[in-house]
Amino acid sequence: MDDIRLTRQIDARTGVPWTRTQTRVLGEAQIRTFEALCRIGGRRPHELASDLVLQALRELRYDPEVQKVIAEISEALADPDGGPWCRVCGCTDEAACVGGCAWTPDPLLLGDLCSACLPQVSRTVGEVGEAAAIGALLDHLPHADAAELMALARTCPADHIARSAADVGGLLEGLRAELAAVVTVAHDQAQAAEAWLASLETAGEASA
């Protein structure tokens, strides 16, 4: 996908994925409005910006168009042929870190990791302890979505897990093809019904 990609990271303590973004307020009128909203709500600027973003996410999460794009993003993240990308900095084979980097095993087994980010992750493991970090991952597994599970399976050192991930990927592709066939038939039937109704309306107008 050529879409803008946020850099995803994993909280070592909770195992919950998170990302950071930055908002720029332009124009004196907008700045003053933003400051007024901060004062009214008793929120600091970054807190208010976060509140507004989260509110928009909650309101739009179930919008059909948003759901369509969510599905596309999830598919891209779960696509084993899409190539690895570092879970910390987002680098890829085509866009490596400045100064160069290489793929390296992730101490937390949370996804693809590049050598440039390994020291940062290793420090995190040292701060929380390996057992605590693995425990957080264990707690998160029951709540992980399909894309996360596929990413974890691809980087798992156990060969049978990687093979299972490949099998699941094949099953998903088969399911996708079957769903596409069924939806195509439904789409054709709906178009035929609409054309038939339109012809009845046309005939009715002609006889009037």
Side-chain angles (χ1 to χ4, degrees):
M1 294 179 64
D2 295 328
D3 298 339
I4 295 174
R5 175 184 289 169
L6 297 178
T7 299
R8 291 168 172 80
Q9 301 191 35
I10 301 292
D11 189 298
R13 292 177 175 81
T14 65
V16 176
W18 64 276
T19 186
R20 177 185 290 119
T21 186
Q22 183 174 352
T23 301
R24 179 175 297 175
V25 180
L26 300 176
E28 187 62 37
Q30 293 190 47
I31 293 174
R32 291 181 179 178
T33 300
F34 190 73
E35 290 175 337
L37 290 173
C38 288
R39 183 178 300 178
I40 292 172
R43 310 291 285 168
R44 290 183 291 177
H46 71 277
E47 293 174 332
L48 177 61
S50 177
D51 289 346
L52 295 175
V53 170
L54 291 175
Q55 179 181 350
L57 289 175
R58 294 189 184 100
E59 293 175 351
L60 295 173
R61 183 176 180 181
Y62 300 106
D63 179 88
E65 187 65 25
V66 175
Q67 282 293 309
K68 178 181 177 181
V69 178
I70 288 175
E72 294 174 355
I73 294 173
S74 298
E75 177 185 346
L77 292 177
D79 183 6
D81 298 324
W85 54 278
C86 178
R87 69 173 179 84
V88 176
C89 70
C91 72
T92 64
D93 287 327
E94 292 74 24
C97 295
V98 176
C101 62
W103 299 116
T104 185
D106 183 2
L108 297 178
L109 303 178
L110 294 178
D112 300 311
L113 185 70
C114 77
S115 56
C117 294
L118 178 60
Q120 175 184 339
V121 173
S122 297
R123 284 195 299 272
T124 300
V125 174
E127 291 172 358
V128 302
E130 184 176 5
I134 295 176
L137 172 59
L138 188 61
D139 292 338
H140 178 63
L141 278 178
H143 312 289
D145 59 25
E148 289 180 296
L149 290 176
M150 291 295 288
L152 286 169
R154 291 201 311 272
T155 58
C156 181
D159 292 338
H160 71 284
I161 296 296
R163 290 194 297 270
S164 296
D167 293 340
V168 170
L171 291 173
L172 288 175
E173 287 305 312
L175 178 60
R176 187 199 312 279
E178 293 178 7
L179 284 172
V182 171
V183 173
T184 298
V185 172
H187 182 252
D188 293 342
Q189 292 175 343
Q191 285 186 321
E194 291 177 355
W196 179 67
L197 290 174
S199 66
L200 292 180
E201 294 177 357
T202 302
E205 293 173 356
S207 62

